[in-house]
Amino acid sequence: MEELAQTAESKPDELDELIRLVQSYNPSADIELIRRAYAYSARMHASQKRESGEPYVIHPLNVALIIAQLKLDVPSIVTGLLHDVVEDTGVSLNEVRELWGAEVAQLVDGVTKVSKISFQSREEKQAENFRKMVIAMAHDIRVVLIKLADRLHNMRTLDHLSPERQHEIARETMEIYAPIAHRLGIYWLKSELEDLSFRYLNTSAYGTLKAYVAKTRTERDEYIAAVIDILTRRLKESGVNAEVTGRPKHFYSIHSKMQEMGLNFEEIYDLVAFRIIVDTVRECYEALGVVHANWKPVPGRFKDYIALPKINMYQSLHTTVIGPRGQRMEVQIRTREMHKVAEEGIAAHWSYKEGPTKDAKETERFAWLRRLIEWQQNLKDPQEFLSTVKDDLFPEEVFVFTPKGDVLDFPQGSTTIDFAYRIHSQVGNHLSGARVNGRMVPLRYKLRSGDTVEVLTSERQSPGKDWINYVATARAKSRIRQWLRQQQAERSRDLGISLIDRELELLKLSVAQLRHEHRFEPVLKEFSQRDVESLLAAVGYGLLTPAQVLAKVLNADELKNYRDGKAPSAATTALAPKERAARELRRAASGAVVVSGVGDMMVRFAKCCNPLPGEAITGFITRGRGVTVHVAGCPHALNTDPQRRVPVVWKDGEEAPRPIRLEVLCVDQPGLLAAMTKAIAAAGVNISTAEVKTRGSDGRALSVFEVSVSSARQLNNLMNSIGAIDGVMRVARLGQQNGHRY
């Protein structure tokens, strides 16, 4: 017991801070339980150190502090202190249950399961972890809140890891955890995760932006103070009791605006945002009137999230005005209750003592979560699930009305097809037309806030292949893919039967006869197929050849007769040069890429993304053309049927030069083109073509270089070298089709 007490005293400042914070929002909290949990965690992790060399217990203690900032209950705080004991020490879940109760054990188990799974590839692990996190949210949202706290502290202490691990963790944080924090409405957590990720994903841009913001800090602080003084006086004169604050915007939001609008530092004026907090909804609109009466509003920059809340129930008025000195400034106006929701997010609504409340507002708040659960059940492929849900995690909401007056929310860019699938899957599958505000519109019409939408159906109508290009929601994408996959599977099965029957003509046999004799079933496992229908469809897809299948299902005599009958004839000899060329192509490709589980397949590289050795890649069976290899995150790859996906990896040591296009946006000034070509030459890279266009209206130049690089590592070094040149604003890799940036 003495040893336990000494361990508990090892970090008294942080522990005392944790207790003070918990008591500030929960005076009746069981503080002794928190002290015991800390002491237990310190004892269990006593022999462990972090990468920084500090005692490991510092991590769970800081995670608990972040959980307390979220104002969660005592079981959540205790789980934060114990969240790694099952995964990283010899403690069993049963021991946790005996010592700390069933509720804490369930939370610890949930957090452990989110990150404990092992998969074949890093991409699969990321996708499947996200799926598990969604399932965990369905059971208890606290699991994900604790996981977010865990990730935030890991991001705060990322300095001590290798650059590769820093980049990997930062990318996952930016793509998965920050959007989840946004969807849960915890904006301070989302912003900090984004800024920390930005620091490691784009170190040079982060450093430059940080230095610029620091240089202008004094001037900005004076500006904030002046605007707060003006707003406070004007609101008081109008009889509005308000609290006015101002703050600099986060680094990543500034950087995103610069990238989106092609601006440099001097052109970014709205580096600050102001917030007006009032007592009532009526005063929100009165305060808005005061702001617009004093400063000219920027057209198209007003958003009323009070009348139409965001999906996570965030409410506020947003407006941008031309403030003092002609600078744009963003103003947010909300009540104190709305501010609490914005700061605490989903934690402000969740009831732990009695379980989730069942009123209409609670049902609405968690509608998006129920949709995630539905998608994870329908989308069996982890990466397809991840890619579709990513789209839904970054929505700019559009609010439209049904003919009955119900309001439905959609991500920006949604169409009438998305609307139809939101109503019902069968409505979407048989959508034939749509009326928006009483007028007929094309199916690809993009919804706008305030539209009233009515859909028309016909039993003869079915989804077309191009529909996938006109939808923005995960639900619509999955339902369209499901329909097309079903139709494709039937066509591929019929084609597979036809191809095998053609081969069997020599033997006077047929697929029907072989099926009747149950010859296909014994070889299903060998070809990794679940049933005979799938095996035949695989032949139709091009995943398997008729010869591969027949080599396994024919008996020895039949196989000999089959091979004898397939001896080269005059007709086949005429095709020999093409066959030889195909074999050479397969031989060359197989020198670079290994296709798992598939033999004698032609491999080609997708022109849309031109994958490089060292990049994560994925392969897709393309009918008649073997396996097409894409970069794992290529938009074209994500739109391809996941059932055609095959694992592919780079062959060790393969670094043959490949053409890549780079787009460079820079200031139009003498000597800059020479500096860029010098940097390319210094990197040992050859320039095939170069195209430079000046944009006289804004003093910028846009250059596109086609270069030959041998690996992702060489490309990244080259892009960093060009990006470090004074005057270069953006360096991006372009796909060869449609100019996609990567």
Side-chain angles (χ1 to χ4, degrees):
M1 288 301 292
E2 184 180 347
E3 179 189 350
L4 194 63
Q6 287 175 350
T7 307
E9 293 297 322
S10 60
K11 296 295 288 182
D13 293 342
E14 286 85 348
L15 184 58
D16 288 345
E17 182 185 351
L18 172 63
I19 290 168
R20 281 195 302 272
L21 191 53
V22 172
Q23 288 179 322
S24 69
Y25 67 86
N26 186 1
S28 61
D30 187 346
I31 299 304
E32 186 54 36
L33 185 67
I34 295 174
R35 288 186 185 277
R36 285 198 299 111
Y38 169 72
Y40 181 81
S41 179
R43 182 160 62 90
M44 293 300 104
H45 292 295
S47 61
Q48 298 174 338
K49 301 282 187 185
R50 302 203 82 205
E51 293 289 339
S52 62
E54 297 174 308
Y56 190 88
V57 73
I58 290 175
H59 171 64
L61 180 54
N62 277 276
V63 170
L65 275 166
I66 296 168
I67 294 168
Q69 282 182 265
L70 295 170
K71 298 185 178 179
L72 299 191
D73 57 2
V74 170
S76 300
I77 304 292
V78 171
T79 301
L81 291 166
L82 304 177
H83 75 277
D84 278 336
V85 295
V86 172
E87 189 173 1
D88 294 343
T89 74
V91 176
S92 68
L93 192 62
N94 284 334
E95 183 176 338
V96 173
R97 187 176 291 106
E98 290 170 9
L99 291 174
W100 308 100
E103 185 177 11
V104 169
Q106 187 175 347
L107 290 173
V108 169
D109 186 39
V111 176
T112 302
K113 283 179 177 176
V114 167
S115 55
K116 196 179 177 181
I117 316 145
S118 178
F119 290 88
Q120 293 177 354
S121 71
R122 192 165 290 148
E123 291 75 22
E124 286 181 15
K125 182 174 181 180
Q126 183 194 56
E128 191 65 23
N129 271 353
F130 187 69
R131 184 196 288 274
K132 293 292 182 183
M133 193 180 302
V134 169
I135 296 170
M137 279 196 284
H139 292 300
D140 196 324
I141 199 72
R142 289 175 294 177
V143 169
V144 176
L145 294 172
I146 295 164
K147 186 65 184 174
L148 283 172
D150 177 41
R151 177 51 61 107
L152 178 58
H153 185 250
N154 283 332
M155 288 300 299
R156 287 173 176 174
T157 55
L158 210 56
D159 277 342
H160 302 282
L161 299 182
S162 67
E164 291 77 15
R165 283 290 290 151
Q166 288 174 346
H167 193 277
E168 178 186 331
I169 293 170
R171 172 67 61 192
E172 187 179 62
T173 301
M174 184 71 86
E175 293 184 353
I176 303 298
Y177 290 92
I180 286 178
H182 172 78
R183 264 313 184 101
L184 296 177
I186 313 167
Y187 291 101
W188 68 267
L189 183 57
K190 171 229 179 195
S191 298
E192 187 173 350
L193 287 174
E194 285 179 340
D195 279 358
L196 289 167
S197 300
F198 175 41
R199 174 185 171 189
Y200 294 101
L201 292 174
N202 197 335
T203 306
S204 60
Y206 177 86
T208 306
L209 182 56
K210 184 178 180 181
Y212 176 80
V213 171
K215 185 175 70 174
T216 58
R217 180 176 178 178
T218 302
E219 180 185 347
R220 189 171 58 256
D221 288 348
E222 290 174 357
Y223 185 83
I224 290 174
V227 171
I228 289 176
D229 181 60
I230 295 170
L231 273 173
T232 302
R233 283 191 286 107
R234 295 285 190 270
L235 290 165
K236 189 173 182 180
E237 289 168 6
S238 300
V240 178
N241 178 33
E243 175 189 340
V244 184
T245 58
R247 59 170 178 79
K249 288 192 173 179
H250 295 279
F251 291 152
Y252 181 68
S253 66
I254 297 171
H255 175 73
S256 297
K257 179 166 286 190
M258 291 173 63
Q259 293 291 301
E260 181 185 342
M261 303 179 69
L263 302 174
N264 54 33
F265 295 122
E266 289 73 19
E267 295 172 300
I268 294 287
Y269 294 115
D270 50 343
L271 293 175
V272 294
F274 296 90
R275 186 171 293 144
I276 300 173
I277 300 176
V278 296
D279 294 323
T280 65
V281 172
R282 179 178 58 82
E283 288 178 320
C284 288
Y285 292 97
E286 289 177 0
L288 177 68
V290 171
V291 173
H292 285 180
N294 282 274
W295 296 298
K296 186 177 179 180
V298 177
R301 297 288 294 170
F302 170 67
K303 299 254 179 86
D304 187 344
Y305 293 120
I306 293 179
L308 294 170
K310 289 189 177 185
I311 295 173
N312 55 24
M313 296 312 293
Y314 171 88
Q315 288 183 288
S316 191
L317 298 177
H318 288 197
T319 187
T320 301
V321 296
I322 307 298
R325 307 176 196 169
Q327 292 192 15
R328 288 188 177 199
M329 59 184 201
E330 182 183 324
V331 182
Q332 300 173 355
I333 307 167
R334 61 180 71 139
T335 66
R336 298 182 197 284
E337 177 61 28
M338 293 171 191
H339 183 61
K340 180 184 177 186
V341 171
E343 289 296 299
E344 299 175 22
I346 209 163
H349 308 298
W350 197 258
S351 170
Y352 302 108
K353 303 280 186 190
E354 307 297 331
T357 55
K358 301 298 183 185
D359 61 39
K361 283 191 175 181
E362 288 299 311
T363 301
E364 189 178 352
R365 283 175 186 132
F366 296 102
W368 69 273
L369 180 54
R370 287 199 309 278
R371 288 203 295 272
L372 287 184
I373 302 305
E374 180 187 343
W375 297 333
Q376 77 84 20
Q377 290 169 345
N378 288 320
L379 298 176
K380 302 305 180 187
D381 179 77
Q383 288 184 321
E384 183 185 3
F385 173 70
L386 181 63
S387 64
T388 53
V389 173
K390 272 185 193 174
D391 293 339
D392 195 72
L393 284 171
F394 287 102
E396 286 295 328
E397 287 86 3
V398 172
F399 298 91
V400 301
F401 296 91
T402 68
K404 294 182 179 179
D406 296 327
V407 179
L408 299 178
D409 57 278
F410 292 90
Q412 194 81 33
S414 297
T415 63
T416 57
I417 304 174
D418 291 288
F419 182 93
Y421 277 103
R422 179 72 172 274
I423 301 302
H424 195 278
S425 298
Q426 289 305 311
V427 173
N429 286 340
H430 298 293
L431 174 67
S432 60
R435 290 192 187 96
V436 174
N437 304 324
R439 298 176 60 184
M440 292 297 295
V441 296
L443 296 184
R444 61 179 180 274
Y445 170 87
K446 291 187 177 180
L447 303 175
R448 301 170 187 169
S449 286
D451 282 346
T452 298
V453 184
E454 179 186 359
V455 293
L456 309 174
T457 60
S458 168
E459 286 299 319
R460 294 191 299 273
Q461 182 67 42
S462 61
K465 285 184 178 180
D466 59 335
W467 281 25
I468 201 75
N469 301 319
Y470 302 132
V471 293
T473 59
R475 180 188 180 92
K477 287 178 183 177
S478 68
R479 292 296 188 270
I480 294 168
R481 284 198 184 108
Q482 193 174 14
W483 174 277
L484 294 176
R485 192 179 298 139
Q486 182 181 341
Q487 302 304 307
Q488 183 69 27
E490 292 176 3
R491 287 195 294 269
S492 295
R493 180 203 60 203
D494 294 342
L495 178 59
I497 292 172
S498 175
L499 291 172
I500 297 175
D501 275 344
R502 190 183 305 165
E503 297 292 303
L504 290 172
E505 282 180 4
L506 292 166
L507 304 176
K508 301 192 183 314
L509 292 172
S510 67
V511 169
Q513 188 174 339
L514 295 181
R515 292 188 74 168
H516 180 71
E517 296 171 6
H518 301 289
R519 295 226 211 158
F520 290 112
E521 282 81 359
V523 302
L524 291 177
K525 190 173 182 181
E526 190 168 346
F527 289 116
S528 302
Q529 300 298 325
R530 66 179 181 274
D531 52 36
V532 176
E533 298 286 305
S534 301
L535 178 66
L536 296 172
V539 175
Y541 270 135
L543 180 58
L544 298 171
T545 65
Q548 286 175 307
V549 175
L550 293 179
K552 301 295 181 182
V553 300
L554 297 178
N555 61 40
D557 291 337
E558 290 169 341
L559 191 57
K560 182 179 183 304
N561 292 334
Y562 169 69
R563 286 173 174 164
D564 289 345
K566 295 294 286 183
S569 63
T572 57
T573 304
L575 298 175
K578 290 184 179 180
E579 178 61 26
R580 282 199 300 271
R583 286 179 181 175
E584 287 300 319
L585 182 58
R586 286 197 295 269
R587 205 173 291 124
S590 63
V593 172
V594 178
V595 183
S596 174
V598 182
D600 193 31
M601 288 294 290
M602 183 166 60
V603 174
R604 68 190 189 98
F605 296 105
K607 291 183 178 180
C608 55
C609 55
N610 269 328
L612 289 170
E615 289 185 302
I617 53 175
T618 187
F620 290 89
I621 299 296
T622 310
R623 179 175 291 172
R625 290 184 290 178
V627 174
T628 302
V629 179
H630 292 261
V631 173
C634 173
H636 289 87
L638 295 176
N639 284 332
T640 310
D641 184 355
Q643 286 198 346
R644 295 192 179 200
R645 185 176 295 144
V646 291
V648 291
V649 293
W650 293 103
K651 191 171 182 179
D652 289 344
E654 173 58 33
E655 292 195 349
R658 296 190 54 74
I660 293 295
R661 297 170 74 217
L662 292 179
E663 179 187 83
V664 183
L665 180 66
C666 62
V667 178
D668 184 13
Q669 64 184 32
L672 202 51
L673 179 59
M676 289 190 288
T677 55
K678 184 178 178 181
I680 296 172
V685 174
N686 183 52
I687 301 175
S688 304
T689 63
E691 182 183 351
V692 182
K693 293 179 182 178
T694 58
R695 302 183 346 193
S697 59
D698 59 7
R700 294 190 183 84
L702 190 67
S703 305
V704 177
F705 299 96
E706 184 173 299
V707 296
S708 295
V709 293
S710 58
S711 68
R713 182 180 64 255
Q714 186 181 29
L715 177 62
N716 289 335
N717 291 338
L718 174 61
M719 292 176 69
N720 288 335
S721 298
I722 297 174
I725 298 172
D726 231 4
V728 171
M729 301 166 62
R730 183 183 71 220
V731 184
R733 175 179 173 184
L734 291 179
Q736 290 194 352
Q737 296 177 357
N738 304 323
H740 287 296
R741 293 187 183 90
Y742 294 93

